[in-house]
Amino acid sequence: MRGDQVVAVGLLTQRDVDAFGAKLSRVYHLEPEDDQFADLLAQLDAIEATPPKQ
C-alpha cells in the first residue's frame, strides 16, 4: 500500500508547521516540558554520520 507508507519524520518548530500549512497531512504537537522523545533524540544524537555510498 503505497499511500500508507511513512515517507518522512521531522522535528519542526511551530513556524515550520505554519509555513507548510495544509501540505502536512499529520502533525503531533509536543509540549516543551514533555520528554516523550528524549530517549529517541539521545539515540539519534549518538549516531555518527556516514558518507553516502557512491
Side-chain angles (χ1 to χ4, degrees), residues 2-51:
R2 187 171 173 88
D4 290 340
Q5 293 178 331
V6 173
V7 295
V9 174
L11 300 174
L12 306 173
T13 65
Q14 185 61 52
R15 183 182 297 176
D16 297 329
V17 173
D18 294 341
F20 283 111
K23 295 176 184 174
L24 295 174
S25 61
R26 195 173 303 164
V27 175
Y28 298 98
H29 291 273
L30 300 175
E31 296 300 321
E33 61 277 351
D34 185 359
D35 64 350
Q36 183 177 0
F37 292 105
D39 185 51
L40 173 61
L41 294 177
Q43 290 180 44
L44 291 173
D45 283 341
I47 297 172
E48 290 191 33
T50 56

